Amino acid sequence: MGKIDIQQLYDLANHLRIDSIKMTCAAKSGHPTSSCSAAEIIATLFFSEMKFDKSFPKNPSSDRFVLSKGHACPVLYAAWHQVGHISTTDIMNIRKITCDLEGHPTPRLDFIDVATGSLGQGLSCAAGMAYAGKYIDKASYRVYCLLGDGECAEAFASYYKLDNLVAIVDMNRLGQTQQTMLGHDADTMAKRFESFGCHTVIVDGSNVVELLNAYNIARKMRSDLFSQTKDKPTAIVAKTLKGKGIVGIEDEDNWHGKPVSENTIEAIEQRLMNKADIAGTFQIKPPANDAPDVQLPIGHIKMAPPAYALGDKVATRQAYGTALAKLGDACPRIIGLDGDTKNSTFSEKLFKKHPEQFIECFIAEQNLVGVAVGLQCRDRAIPFTSTFAAFFTRAADQLRMAAVSFANIKCAGSHVGVSIGEDGPSQMGLEDIALFRAIPGSIVFYPTDAVAAERATELAANTRGIAFIRTGRPACPVIYSNDEKFGIGKGKIVHDSNKPKALIIGAGVTLYEAKKAADKLQSENIEVIVMDPFTIKPLDKDLIIKSARRAENRIITVEDHYQAGGIGEAVSQAVSDQDIRVRSLFILDIPHSGPPDCLLEKYGISAKYIIDAVHQFVHPPN
Amino acid sequence: MGKIDIQQLYDLANHLRIDSIKMTCAAKSGHPTSSCSAAEIIATLFFSEMKFDKSFPKNPSSDRFVLSKGHACPVLYAAWHQVGHISTTDIMNIRKITCDLEGHPTPRLDFIDVATGSLGQGLSCAAGMAYAGKYIDKASYRVYCLLGDGECAEAFASYYKLDNLVAIVDMNRLGQTQQTMLGHDADTMAKRFESFGCHTVIVDGSNVVELLNAYNIARKMRSDLFSQTKDKPTAIVAKTLKGKGIVGIEDEDNWHGKPVSENTIEAIEQRLMNKADIAGTFQIKPPANDAPDVQLPIGHIKMAPPAYALGDKVATRQAYGTALAKLGDACPRIIGLDGDTKNSTFSEKLFKKHPEQFIECFIAEQNLVGVAVGLQCRDRAIPFTSTFAAFFTRAADQLRMAAVSFANIKCAGSHVGVSIGEDGPSQMGLEDIALFRAIPGSIVFYPTDAVAAERATELAANTRGIAFIRTGRPACPVIYSNDEKFGIGKGKIVHDSNKPKALIIGAGVTLYEAKKAADKLQSENIEVIVMDPFTIKPLDKDLIIKSARRAENRIITVEDHYQAGGIGEAVSQAVSDQDIRVRSLFILDIPHSGPPDCLLEKYGISAKYIIDAVHQFVHPPN
């Protein structure tokens, strides 16, 4: 009873495997290989190790399971199928709009506690559950979290053998409000850096001889240590005291961020100074002057022009990659960086053509942006970072700080909005416009077709500052000719008429929907203007106002993005001081997995909804 | 020449120390103790180890220095003073609005490459610089990065001895686009988890016997290992193959996220299945049913009422802490979490009263939010997380995913806007309203006074979902009586008149400015209405429209926040379908350090600017 033999576990693992393969085949998308590697892990957990209530998955006493590598959910769905909790029909309907077995797991399912699919988060959630179990519930349930190896990628510096990098930890024991996690346990701190590939040295951080020795080791000046230090960054763990040298304050709590009292300064000074005058006693070591003189040709980087035929179906992410590779031809200091998505963002086009101009940063987007900020310092490079737009949220703080650094970095976010389809909400960029618009001085490009995407990339390279290029997953027709001119803050009218009743503003997939709507409305003798803003920041306010004036002061915006900080709000704000009325279509709720077209429909941003909005705006019901 | 003796370095360190103490005294704020611990580190780096060009700090060949613990900038400024690059007058003017030696360093200074002050970012930037040096410039310059120990705090699970937590790494070697950083190097992966305090076990992840044994170790069932495993989370590094079991795909590149071809399924199935029927061969282990039955009293958590006198000067962050502690009295499942800022956010009031209802998460805000999401699963807790509002950007991806998880978490962000003053832009929350508004279904509270802040906290506790409470640093007068009723989506008119010319909407510090402006305007016989929205999401659209209608259809918004996604855009959007005009005052540029009042003035959100805006709106110049 409750016992299971080893062969049965292998059999069960293979069942999970086969089901994962079948269900992703049926869905025509998904991650069978990532599921197959975990089959025995899931089989042993579910059918031998874990205690849980199969008829009431949310039983508070059950062991928890968190699939941090959320893309492997087919194997998890297969397990709940074996348990008897999901029907065969259901597992064969994964990723469909009618089935809650989405492309990445969400708590729409009663056996999922936390949504996963944005890698690198599951273990934090699992730790929260374990904390609740041990300390709040004081119960025996246990928490199991399955991670992918790809999401454990925080070792950039050692991976790239950055032996010119020295990290020094000022281990002063005290945080703002209490002792730090490690206090003065320098050994453990050193082990952490060591495990990430650094050579580590522990020193008394107030002893200058020990410090100088550590720097020598880092510079590989100690031949006896060469085999240990070669090709490695160095981490020096320096044990210090907070407030060192200030009697009564040194190593004491509650002195973070507080000046000493003015009247104690003299005594402190007298105690510390044994020679008042040090002027002229030292010289600064001059640099070797061996860094090349770089004059970035910003403003003059010429890209070979786009080469499409009107109507060609090309995703803007693909055109981004094409442009990036061409810009790489034009300027060797254009450097691509990606977070293991280069075949999705198409930054691999640069990688394939100019591997020396590409840095794979693996799945650690915060580091991806941080590295880019470092690269652009002193004009060493023009970094183009790319990943799914949604995953730039992982680097929101780094982006905020990049602005404070007045950094020159470019970010291309692909897979935006519900139009990515089956992969589900964790992969959909729906707040990226808001994120990047909020950065002072930023430029937000939202190119609709391949020609526009190439030009956006070229303009980004040629303009200092932080630029975001929002690219889409689906292949859509080219609507602009190759010699079309684009400018920052310059929108385009893509559908015009003589007696327009409304101005419709869309971008990317919604511009195509707006054009469809305009054609349909024309057949009903309702004329409209359709505008492509090209950049959401800055917005072509003049063209918007001019066009709206012509269109009876009515604007309808439609975007594959949430409302806050999106196109609708940007447009509303731009015309807020005018007697122009704006109505907006946007994504209101957490979307579901499903085919892109169905999702545009379900979330109300398709041509049909645009037509309805025009009808209601132009002929309001009584 | 260029050589320096040991005693001179100690002397120099003490000079840096004294200068750090003096300049923070002069500024009446800052971090002398965090500077003093690093004095010898900086002295040895600057006066012996590093090669740099003191007259041209941005020389591309110079060694780089990144102060990841940006709050210790006084000691860095002191070093550049010793070098002769900064005058004595300047260092004594740090944190002033007229001096670029800000509270945390920014590249407004020619010797700063990247802004720091948001902990945990410097090493990424430094790695980018080191990469540029080694591979792009191919030059000899080196990169030194000084970190605080507090910003190396990623060991929550071991710190809290979560021996009920098992992390299993599915080490299948292949990422989406190439081999992962570590490939199958399980030893290094294990060392990383071990260094963070896990007991680690390496297994063949396709071998069920090895897996079962590892789980037993994790459950502390192996007495021979008890001394090693006691009180520790376990990490199992499971070596697997991606696509395991699928011939021709197993362990091969380019199969990430792709289904196999439909016609190969049968062959795969035949190869893998040795027993087709496993029905009834296993039973699931039932839970121990020892978790307490929790019925969270959401909607009925009663807090002791606020107890202020009108005019009392109380910061809203302080009132948040007071309310949180009282809510903790009312409900033992209210749990506070903070990122080592509890004495700034005032969550320490809960900690002091109910230490068992508080979890210190240290400086790792991404984990702070992740842990909170884990805690709230299966209604185990109502987590209230708090830190500086700016630092919630670190957790933007976790917050996005919390929404996909339909999580019930509360976030209180303090130190918002330029009104924090001297600490400078890295510490100012200026995009937090946008961040939290973009979360579907979220509530964004922006209480102006202490009474409102207490009620916001109470309402947040009593409403399921993600709520943000924006609290301020400065102590401002109480304007509401203790029995004032507050509701979500219910604004308040705080200044009214008979023939108003405009409606002014402000919140927090800007509501006080709006009231000042209204009083001044009244003396000029220009009447206005002033509204406190209380929640920015949902917004009290009815009251806004009704009030604007009375005020000649003019609205002026004023906020201590950037434009994108802020109050101005929210209001513009809310009235976009009306013939109401909106003009907005907001923070346009990256702010500078300085006294709060000066910053409100410099960035154009003070009473003076509101008055100007009303004048121009009501009597436009010809």
Side-chain angles (χ1 to χ4, degrees), chain B residues 56 152 207 228 231 275 289 295 403 458-459 487 545:
Chain B
F56 174 36
C152 306
N207 182 314
Q228 294 167 49
D231 279 343
K275 288 184 198 167
N289 286 328
Q295 303 293 335
E458 184 185 34
L459 285 164
I545 292 174

PDB file of all heavy atoms in Angstrom, chain B residues 56 152 207 228 231 275 289 295 403 458-459 487 545:
ATOM      1  N   PHE B  56      42.289  63.545 -16.114  1.00  0.00           N
ATOM      2  CA  PHE B  56      41.253  63.206 -17.107  1.00  0.00           C
ATOM      3  C   PHE B  56      40.641  61.870 -16.691  1.00  0.00           C
ATOM      4  O   PHE B  56      40.979  60.810 -17.201  1.00  0.00           O
ATOM      5  CB  PHE B  56      41.879  63.121 -18.512  1.00  0.00           C
ATOM      6  CG  PHE B  56      40.943  62.633 -19.590  1.00  0.00           C
ATOM      7  CD1 PHE B  56      39.589  62.977 -19.593  1.00  0.00           C
ATOM      8  CD2 PHE B  56      41.423  61.825 -20.624  1.00  0.00           C
ATOM      9  CE1 PHE B  56      38.746  62.509 -20.585  1.00  0.00           C
ATOM     10  CE2 PHE B  56      40.579  61.350 -21.624  1.00  0.00           C
ATOM     11  CZ  PHE B  56      39.242  61.696 -21.599  1.00  0.00           C
ATOM     12  N   CYS B 152      24.782  41.283  -0.715  1.00  0.00           N
ATOM     13  CA  CYS B 152      25.049  39.894  -1.118  1.00  0.00           C
ATOM     14  C   CYS B 152      24.167  38.997  -0.259  1.00  0.00           C
ATOM     15  O   CYS B 152      24.653  38.237   0.569  1.00  0.00           O
ATOM     16  CB  CYS B 152      26.517  39.550  -0.916  1.00  0.00           C
ATOM     17  SG  CYS B 152      27.660  40.686  -1.715  1.00  0.00           S
ATOM     18  N   ASN B 207      17.799   8.336 -12.989  1.00  0.00           N
ATOM     19  CA  ASN B 207      17.893   7.114 -12.195  1.00  0.00           C
ATOM     20  C   ASN B 207      17.003   7.260 -10.963  1.00  0.00           C
ATOM     21  O   ASN B 207      17.295   8.035 -10.051  1.00  0.00           O
ATOM     22  CB  ASN B 207      19.363   6.896 -11.801  1.00  0.00           C
ATOM     23  CG  ASN B 207      19.548   5.615 -11.016  1.00  0.00           C
ATOM     24  OD1 ASN B 207      18.794   5.322 -10.082  1.00  0.00           O
ATOM     25  ND2 ASN B 207      20.548   4.841 -11.409  1.00  0.00           N
ATOM     26  N   GLN B 228      25.374  16.758   8.723  1.00  0.00           N
ATOM     27  CA  GLN B 228      25.566  17.637   7.556  1.00  0.00           C
ATOM     28  C   GLN B 228      24.263  18.245   7.063  1.00  0.00           C
ATOM     29  O   GLN B 228      24.277  19.292   6.422  1.00  0.00           O
ATOM     30  CB  GLN B 228      26.154  16.848   6.376  1.00  0.00           C
ATOM     31  CG  GLN B 228      27.549  16.317   6.569  1.00  0.00           C
ATOM     32  CD  GLN B 228      27.880  15.304   5.490  1.00  0.00           C
ATOM     33  OE1 GLN B 228      27.687  15.547   4.307  1.00  0.00           O
ATOM     34  NE2 GLN B 228      28.354  14.139   5.901  1.00  0.00           N
ATOM     35  N   ASP B 231      18.868  21.100   9.645  1.00  0.00           N
ATOM     36  CA  ASP B 231      18.474  22.513   9.535  1.00  0.00           C
ATOM     37  C   ASP B 231      18.776  23.145   8.178  1.00  0.00           C
ATOM     38  O   ASP B 231      18.766  24.369   8.052  1.00  0.00           O
ATOM     39  CB  ASP B 231      19.155  23.367  10.625  1.00  0.00           C
ATOM     40  CG  ASP B 231      18.416  23.271  11.953  1.00  0.00           C
ATOM     41  OD1 ASP B 231      17.246  22.823  11.940  1.00  0.00           O
ATOM     42  OD2 ASP B 231      19.004  23.622  12.975  1.00  0.00           O
ATOM     43  N   LYS B 275       5.482  -1.739 -20.271  1.00  0.00           N
ATOM     44  CA  LYS B 275       4.173  -2.179 -19.769  1.00  0.00           C
ATOM     45  C   LYS B 275       3.188  -1.080 -20.140  1.00  0.00           C
ATOM     46  O   LYS B 275       3.390   0.061 -19.732  1.00  0.00           O
ATOM     47  CB  LYS B 275       4.166  -2.300 -18.242  1.00  0.00           C
ATOM     48  CG  LYS B 275       4.942  -3.458 -17.699  1.00  0.00           C
ATOM     49  CD  LYS B 275       4.735  -3.489 -16.192  1.00  0.00           C
ATOM     50  CE  LYS B 275       5.808  -4.338 -15.521  1.00  0.00           C
ATOM     51  NZ  LYS B 275       5.824  -4.145 -14.067  1.00  0.00           N
ATOM     52  N   ASN B 289      -2.150  16.064   7.222  1.00  0.00           N
ATOM     53  CA  ASN B 289      -3.263  16.868   7.756  1.00  0.00           C
ATOM     54  C   ASN B 289      -2.947  17.542   9.080  1.00  0.00           C
ATOM     55  O   ASN B 289      -3.762  17.567   9.994  1.00  0.00           O
ATOM     56  CB  ASN B 289      -4.526  15.999   7.892  1.00  0.00           C
ATOM     57  CG  ASN B 289      -5.138  15.712   6.533  1.00  0.00           C
ATOM     58  OD1 ASN B 289      -5.042  16.539   5.618  1.00  0.00           O
ATOM     59  ND2 ASN B 289      -5.712  14.551   6.374  1.00  0.00           N
ATOM     60  N   GLN B 295      -9.007  30.451   8.150  1.00  0.00           N
ATOM     61  CA  GLN B 295      -9.991  31.232   7.405  1.00  0.00           C
ATOM     62  C   GLN B 295      -9.582  32.689   7.550  1.00  0.00           C
ATOM     63  O   GLN B 295      -9.830  33.308   8.574  1.00  0.00           O
ATOM     64  CB  GLN B 295     -11.411  31.026   7.973  1.00  0.00           C
ATOM     65  CG  GLN B 295     -11.889  29.583   8.007  1.00  0.00           C
ATOM     66  CD  GLN B 295     -12.098  28.988   6.619  1.00  0.00           C
ATOM     67  OE1 GLN B 295     -12.331  29.708   5.660  1.00  0.00           O
ATOM     68  NE2 GLN B 295     -11.973  27.668   6.499  1.00  0.00           N
ATOM     69  N   ALA B 403       0.805  38.793 -10.443  1.00  0.00           N
ATOM     70  CA  ALA B 403      -0.519  39.041 -11.032  1.00  0.00           C
ATOM     71  C   ALA B 403      -0.986  37.809 -11.798  1.00  0.00           C
ATOM     72  O   ALA B 403      -2.159  37.424 -11.705  1.00  0.00           O
ATOM     73  CB  ALA B 403      -0.455  40.258 -11.955  1.00  0.00           C
ATOM     74  N   GLU B 458      -5.416  49.471   6.151  1.00  0.00           N
ATOM     75  CA  GLU B 458      -6.541  48.633   6.582  1.00  0.00           C
ATOM     76  C   GLU B 458      -7.333  48.122   5.373  1.00  0.00           C
ATOM     77  O   GLU B 458      -7.696  46.946   5.296  1.00  0.00           O
ATOM     78  CB  GLU B 458      -7.445  49.446   7.514  1.00  0.00           C
ATOM     79  CG  GLU B 458      -8.594  48.642   8.112  1.00  0.00           C
ATOM     80  CD  GLU B 458      -9.534  49.533   8.940  1.00  0.00           C
ATOM     81  OE1 GLU B 458      -9.709  50.716   8.567  1.00  0.00           O
ATOM     82  OE2 GLU B 458     -10.078  49.038   9.944  1.00  0.00           O
ATOM     83  N   LEU B 459      -7.599  49.018   4.429  1.00  0.00           N
ATOM     84  CA  LEU B 459      -8.346  48.601   3.230  1.00  0.00           C
ATOM     85  C   LEU B 459      -7.557  47.576   2.419  1.00  0.00           C
ATOM     86  O   LEU B 459      -8.122  46.627   1.871  1.00  0.00           O
ATOM     87  CB  LEU B 459      -8.668  49.828   2.359  1.00  0.00           C
ATOM     88  CG  LEU B 459      -9.791  50.730   2.881  1.00  0.00           C
ATOM     89  CD1 LEU B 459      -9.750  52.095   2.185  1.00  0.00           C
ATOM     90  CD2 LEU B 459     -11.168  50.073   2.693  1.00  0.00           C
ATOM     91  N   GLY B 487     -12.646  55.103   1.109  1.00  0.00           N
ATOM     92  CA  GLY B 487     -13.032  53.937   0.312  1.00  0.00           C
ATOM     93  C   GLY B 487     -12.146  53.831  -0.914  1.00  0.00           C
ATOM     94  O   GLY B 487     -11.607  54.837  -1.401  1.00  0.00           O
ATOM     95  N   ILE B 545     -14.948  64.064 -12.852  1.00  0.00           N
ATOM     96  CA  ILE B 545     -15.735  64.679 -13.931  1.00  0.00           C
ATOM     97  C   ILE B 545     -16.718  65.703 -13.356  1.00  0.00           C
ATOM     98  O   ILE B 545     -16.830  66.825 -13.849  1.00  0.00           O
ATOM     99  CB  ILE B 545     -16.446  63.595 -14.765  1.00  0.00           C
ATOM    100  CG1 ILE B 545     -15.391  62.774 -15.541  1.00  0.00           C
ATOM    101  CG2 ILE B 545     -17.466  64.219 -15.725  1.00  0.00           C
ATOM    102  CD1 ILE B 545     -15.933  61.581 -16.295  1.00  0.00           C
TER     103      ILE B 545
END
